[in-house]
Amino acid sequence: MIGLVLGAVGVHLAGEVTRSGSPDVSPPNEAIVQHEFKVNGSAIGAAFGPQNTLAVATASGNITLLNLKNENKRVELGRTGAFPAARAVFNPRGNALAVGSVDGTVRIWENALTSPYEAQVTLPMQEDGKYAGAVIDMAYSPNGKYLVVASSTSLIRIWDVSNPSHPTALASSSQPHLVTRLAFNASGDMLAVGNTDSTVQLWDVKDPRNPRDLYGEIKAPTGVTALAFSSGRKTLAVGSSNGSVQLWDVSHPEEPSKTADARAVGYTNDLAFNGDGYTLAASNTNGTVRLWEDLDSLAEPRVFKRSDQQGELSSVTFGDSRNTLAVTGTDGSVQLWAT
């Protein structure tokens, strides 16, 4: 999983979703922690990058690149210009890091490890230079050619970043509701767009210059807070602010069908499939991670917690190993769990 997911940062900006305090589904097991790191501030997202690197974002707007082989070796990107970062993603090859800011721009580092203080290019959300709102979410296409960016003014913009130093704006679209999450499917021809009105739009992006709404109806219980496509199945996981998780079969995107539904627990901050797409993890504000290995029902997840129970768990992402899960916490902890 290359994208760096920042929990519920986007929807918090809108203030339109609420949290629910449902009881846990089963007694949690204590997580097996392989490695642990600390960052300055509340850790709100992590992404595996090149050369044993893990990029971590904090609520203060800093991006820290951790070396998983040497916890004392790290690179701080710091604030992107005068404004703090709001979102960051590695491209699938890991050779470019895109950082979205609350000033409504995206900066791309082609060599973040060796040149952390100088972004190669800056992408504006609007060509006329007017403020288009903070960057809420970003998603690279699986081939790394395209970058989709959503802002707090409900603007979505698609860029051709096949040459990161010379990106080209392809399309832009204003949405009727605040966009909270973006996710590409494994083939890169479909984009899921989550919204605060509890809906998920499915876009045909075979031609990124002319994205087309497929008008398939996906309705979540409350505002959408997390999205994840499986790689091995045509399945979209949808997380909501009431803590529920749904699985949708999108093999026929004009008529998607819900295949499984997990009960609500806390507030779902993030979702991630492992590499083969047959295991799903969800981080929750109650300090637990739910792990489903039976995607036909979602009835009996394995539930894990940290031994110290310090703060909420904000994000989850799988590494190259299908059994290694990076988990971030609002207490500044970054842990690698064996699942």
Side-chain angles (χ1 to χ4, degrees), residues 186-269:
S187 58
D189 59 2
M190 188 190 307
L191 179 73
V193 179
N195 304 284
T196 52
D197 71 339
S198 308
T199 64
V200 179
Q201 297 169 288
L202 298 176
W203 288 9
D204 182 334
V205 287
K206 296 185 186 71
D207 179 3
R209 293 182 181 274
N210 297 287
R212 180 171 62 91
D213 192 340
L214 295 168
Y215 294 104
E217 183 175 348
I218 293 181
K219 185 73 174 178
T222 56
V224 176
T225 58
L227 293 174
F229 271 105
S230 67
S231 58
R233 301 154 61 116
K234 292 185 177 180
T235 300
L236 175 67
V238 181
S240 300
S241 60
N242 74 340
S244 65
V245 175
Q246 299 177 336
L247 294 184
W248 291 79
D249 182 341
V250 293
S251 54
H252 301 286
E254 293 86 355
E255 297 182 355
S257 60
K258 187 170 65 173
T259 60
D261 197 344
R263 64 176 292 181
V265 175
Y267 175 108
T268 301
N269 273 328

Side-chain angles (χ1 to χ4, degrees), residues 25 37 58 65 111 128 137 143 159 185 207 229 236 253 287 320:
V25 292
F37 307 86
T58 67
L65 303 181
N111 302 289
D128 58 10
D137 201 15
N143 61 10
W159 292 83
N185 68 347
D207 179 3
F229 271 105
L236 175 67
D320 292 336

Side-chain angles (χ1 to χ4, degrees), residues 23 30 38 107 159 194 203 226 232 234 242 268 271-272 278 305:
E30 188 171 315
K38 278 283 188 179
R107 294 167 176 83
W159 292 83
W203 288 9
K234 292 185 177 180
N242 74 340
T268 301
L271 294 168
Y278 285 85
K305 67 178 180 66

Side-chain angles (χ1 to χ4, degrees), residues 32-242:
I32 300 174
V33 180
Q34 298 173 318
H35 299 286
E36 182 170 8
F37 307 86
K38 278 283 188 179
V39 294
N40 295 323
S42 174
I44 52 177
F48 287 95
Q51 302 176 35
N52 296 307
T53 299
L54 190 71
V56 181
T58 67
S60 62
N62 295 325
I63 306 293
T64 300
L65 303 181
L66 298 172
N67 186 314
L68 301 181
K69 297 295 185 180
N70 183 350
E71 60 185 88
N72 295 318
K73 187 178 180 181
R74 58 178 63 193
V75 174
E76 300 285 348
L77 290 188
R79 294 179 182 271
T80 55
F83 296 90
R87 185 76 167 91
V89 286
F90 277 110
N91 72 350
R93 292 176 57 194
N95 64 341
L97 178 67
V99 177
S101 172
V102 297
D103 69 348
T105 63
V106 177
R107 294 167 176 83
I108 297 179
W109 276 260
E110 291 187 76
N111 302 289
L113 289 173
T114 56
S115 302
Y117 302 110
E118 184 177 353
Q120 275 68 44
V121 68
T122 299
L123 315 179
M125 282 302 290
Q126 288 196 169
E127 293 181 359
D128 58 10
K130 293 182 179 179
Y131 182 61
V135 172
I136 295 294
D137 201 15
M138 299 187 295
Y140 270 107
S141 61
N143 61 10
K145 289 184 64 176
Y146 307 111
L147 178 67
V148 183
V149 186
S151 77
S152 61
T153 57
S154 303
L155 179 67
I156 295 178
R157 199 163 196 195
I158 302 177
W159 292 83
D160 182 339
V161 290
S162 51
N163 182 349
S165 298
H166 297 87
T168 303
L170 300 179
S172 62
S173 174
S174 294
Q175 303 302 297
H177 301 281
L178 179 71
V179 176
T180 57
R181 286 290 172 262
L182 301 168
F184 273 100
N185 68 347
S187 58
D189 59 2
M190 188 190 307
L191 179 73
V193 179
N195 304 284
T196 52
D197 71 339
S198 308
T199 64
V200 179
Q201 297 169 288
L202 298 176
W203 288 9
D204 182 334
V205 287
K206 296 185 186 71
D207 179 3
R209 293 182 181 274
N210 297 287
R212 180 171 62 91
D213 192 340
L214 295 168
Y215 294 104
E217 183 175 348
I218 293 181
K219 185 73 174 178
T222 56
V224 176
T225 58
L227 293 174
F229 271 105
S230 67
S231 58
R233 301 154 61 116
K234 292 185 177 180
T235 300
L236 175 67
V238 181
S240 300
S241 60
N242 74 340

